[in-house]
């Protein structure tokens, strides 16, 4: 997230508009940052690298479940995500 060190996260769900992940610490709604992860599609790794904003943050037994909304997603990345979702 902007102004903070990178944190490890466990992705839970992905859609064309964003991704849900579990992180250790609470994130403020509306907070902006950058997310990077790899997806395996048809045997090839695709890098997802996007600006995001936090849409929700809910405490669970696993950590904080956070919804990230993509912003200005690159068309090639959007196409790769849509291919993954089919």
């Amino acid at each position: 997230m902007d102004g903070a060190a990178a944190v490890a996260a466990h992705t839970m769900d992905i859609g064309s508009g964003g991704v849900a992940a579990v992180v250790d610490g609470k994130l403020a709604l509306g907070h902006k940052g950058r997310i990077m992860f790899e997806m395996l599609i048809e045997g090839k790794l695709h890098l997802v690298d996007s600006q995001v904003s936090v849409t929700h943050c809910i405490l669970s037994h696993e950590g904080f479940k956070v919804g990230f909304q993509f912003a200005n997603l690159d068309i090639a990345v959007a196409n790769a995500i849509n291919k993954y979702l089919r």
Side-chain angles (χ1 to χ4, degrees):
M1 301 313 297
D2 289 347
V7 296
H10 172 78
T11 55
M12 298 178 56
D13 192 15
I14 187 165
S16 59
V19 63
V22 175
V23 299
D24 288 336
K26 185 177 180 179
L27 298 177
L29 296 181
H31 199 96
K32 296 187 184 323
R34 179 178 176 194
I35 195 166
M36 293 176 55
F37 59 93
E38 292 179 320
M39 295 176 47
L40 187 63
I41 304 168
E42 296 179 345
K44 295 181 183 179
L45 285 176
H46 294 265
L47 178 66
V48 174
D49 183 355
S50 178
Q51 295 298 316
V52 294
S53 61
V54 175
T55 60
H56 63 271
C57 183
I58 302 166
L59 180 61
S60 74
H61 67 280
E62 301 170 73
F64 288 90
K65 293 182 180 180
V66 181
F68 296 99
Q69 182 177 12
F70 296 133
N72 303 318
L73 191 61
D74 180 85
I75 191 70
V77 174
N79 288 339
I81 291 170
N82 286 331
K83 192 173 199 178
Y84 174 81
L85 294 172
R86 292 185 200 145

